[in-house]
């Protein structure tokens, strides 16, 4: 059992929690809690850390069965509080391998439905990004393509906000979002940019065929060059003195409009 907060492994995990650079150097990330542990693909799990309190309080049968496949490291409650990024930790923490998806992998996915994607430019809030990923799964997207200016998807707050969607929604960062947009357009996917000066309102467009929504930075919106390369700029109408919605909220509005249209179309077939 690790009982010292000065232990080198403890210091390493703290660094992995706090620094994107360290996570990327090792090509790993951290998850906490029994829910995320159960949802994590076994092939991605590299290390498991537990407290005795977890074994006594949170050890559901399905968790125990999965733990049997791993060599776990026990740590004291004090040590776990040091390595945890949550206010009320359950007592289980895992180090996982990062995803290695490429843009071609995401675009090459073949499904029965028309392609459906999200493009994100410079999203900065970890909670927003995690919520967007989770909402995207709920609305049935095929993947998320992000600019390098977006927050690290492996930020612990982002991971928690995804509620497990991190393991099911393909995602990729791109050095050139406009180039990535072009590749989608070449594949017959129409890009709709959320923009305050949109040419039409979001519910006036048809999203039944291949579609991708382009969402910009929380404070500055989309860059001019990025927006002009979209096929259509759309807007969400606002009442009162509100100028725009939170990025995650706006994404949810757009995604579920498309989702509803697609469900209605399927019902007609």
């Amino acid at each position: 059992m690790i009982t010292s907060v000065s232990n080198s492994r403890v210091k390493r995990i703290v660094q992995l929690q706090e620094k994107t650079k360290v996570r990327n150097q090792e090509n790993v990330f951290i998850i906490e809690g029994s829910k995320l542990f159960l949802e994590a693909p076994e092939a991605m799990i590299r290390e498991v850390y537990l407290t005795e309190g977890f074994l006594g309080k949170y050890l559901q049968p399905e968790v125990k069965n999965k733990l049997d496949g791993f060599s776990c490291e026990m740590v004291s409650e004090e040590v776990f509080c040091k390595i945890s990024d949550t206010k009320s930790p359950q007592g289980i923490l895992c180090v996982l391998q990062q995803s290695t998806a490429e843009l071609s992998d995401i675009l090459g996915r073949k499904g029965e439905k028309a392609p459906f994607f999200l493009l994100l430019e410079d999203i900065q809030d970890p909670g927003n990004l995690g919520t967007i990923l989770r909402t995207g799964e709920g609305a049935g997207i095929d993947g998320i393509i992000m600019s390098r200016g977006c927050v690290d998807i492996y930020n612990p707050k982002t991971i928690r906000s995804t509620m497990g969607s991190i393991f099911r929604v393909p995602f990729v960062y791109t050095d050139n979002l406009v180039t990535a947009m072009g590749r989608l357009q070449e594949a017959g996917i129409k890009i709709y940019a959320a923009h305050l000066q949109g040419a039409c309102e979001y519910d006036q467009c048809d999203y039944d065929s291949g579609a991708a929504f382009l969402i910009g930075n929380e404070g500055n919106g989309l860059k001019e060059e990025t927006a002009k390369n979209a096929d259509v700029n759309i807007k969400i109408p606002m009442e009162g003195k509100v100028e725009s919605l939170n990025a995650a909220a706006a994404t949810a509005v757009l995604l579920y409009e498309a989702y509803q249209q697609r469900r209605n179309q399927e019902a007609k077939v």
Side-chain angles (χ1 to χ4, degrees):
M1 175 184 285
I2 299 175
T3 58
S4 172
V5 295
S6 299
N7 182 282
S8 60
R9 296 178 70 180
V10 171
K11 291 180 178 179
R12 166 181 166 261
I13 293 175
V14 171
Q15 291 287 296
L16 289 173
Q17 291 276 34
E18 296 178 349
K19 297 183 178 181
T20 297
K21 181 179 179 180
V22 177
R23 290 193 291 268
N24 289 341
Q25 285 175 341
E26 291 199 32
N27 199 35
V28 297
F29 67 105
I30 304 288
I31 63 168
E32 293 189 55
S34 56
K35 182 182 187 304
L36 285 177
F37 171 69
L38 285 173
E39 300 213 16
E42 292 188 13
M44 293 177 68
I45 299 174
R46 295 290 175 264
E47 302 165 34
V48 181
Y49 295 86
L50 302 172
T51 65
E52 290 182 345
F54 175 82
L55 294 177
K57 186 176 181 181
Y58 295 103
L59 197 58
Q60 308 104 308
E62 59 268 36
V63 174
K64 182 181 183 304
N65 290 338
K66 189 168 184 178
L67 282 174
D68 287 342
F70 298 95
S71 176
C72 303
E73 182 69 58
M74 300 299 297
V75 302
S76 68
E77 297 290 344
E78 180 186 9
V79 167
F80 200 90
C81 286
K82 179 69 175 179
I83 64 177
S84 174
D85 188 66
T86 64
K87 292 182 179 179
S88 302
Q90 289 185 359
I92 180 170
L93 178 151
C94 305
V95 179
L96 272 65
Q97 188 76 26
Q98 291 186 10
S99 168
T100 57
E102 300 288 342
L103 180 58
S104 56
D105 298 327
I106 293 179
L107 295 181
R109 286 165 56 90
K110 301 296 183 182
E112 296 180 359
K113 301 178 182 179
F116 190 18
F117 292 95
L118 267 178
L119 294 152
L120 305 179
E121 183 174 58
D122 299 354
I123 296 296
Q124 292 298 293
D125 183 83
N128 273 344
L129 181 56
T131 300
I132 287 170
L133 198 74
R134 182 182 179 190
T135 305
E137 181 184 13
I141 64 170
D142 295 301
I144 293 180
I145 301 163
M146 297 171 282
S147 71
R148 289 290 178 191
C150 284
V151 65
D152 180 16
I153 200 166
Y154 295 117
N155 180 295
K157 292 181 177 61
T158 303
I159 297 295
R160 288 196 296 274
S161 296
T162 70
M163 296 292 287
S165 294
I166 185 78
F167 303 122
R168 297 182 292 271
V169 178
F171 59 86
V172 66
Y173 284 89
T174 178
D175 292 321
N176 192 317
L177 191 59
V178 172
T179 298
M181 291 166 59
R183 291 185 61 180
L184 265 67
Q185 289 163 325
E186 290 171 1
I189 299 167
K190 200 168 184 177
I191 297 175
Y192 300 87
H195 201 287
L196 293 177
Q197 279 74 52
C200 63
E201 295 184 359
Y202 76 101
D203 56 355
Q204 296 174 339
C205 297
D206 184 349
Y207 307 117
D208 288 342
S209 56
F213 288 117
L214 175 60
I215 310 295
N217 174 268
E218 292 92 338
N220 301 316
L222 291 166
K223 296 176 182 176
E224 184 177 344
E225 179 188 7
T226 311
K228 74 179 183 182
N229 279 279
D231 294 289
V232 183
N233 285 355
I234 57 175
K235 61 184 177 182
I236 300 172
M238 297 287 144
E239 298 289 343
K241 296 183 179 180
V242 177
E243 292 184 356
S244 64
L245 296 177
N246 165 279
T251 302
V253 170
L254 300 178
L255 287 177
Y256 273 88
E257 171 64 26
Y259 179 51
Q260 178 177 307
Q261 288 188 19
R262 288 166 174 243
R263 289 183 65 194
N264 291 342
Q265 182 64 29
E266 289 176 9
K268 295 177 183 177
V269 176

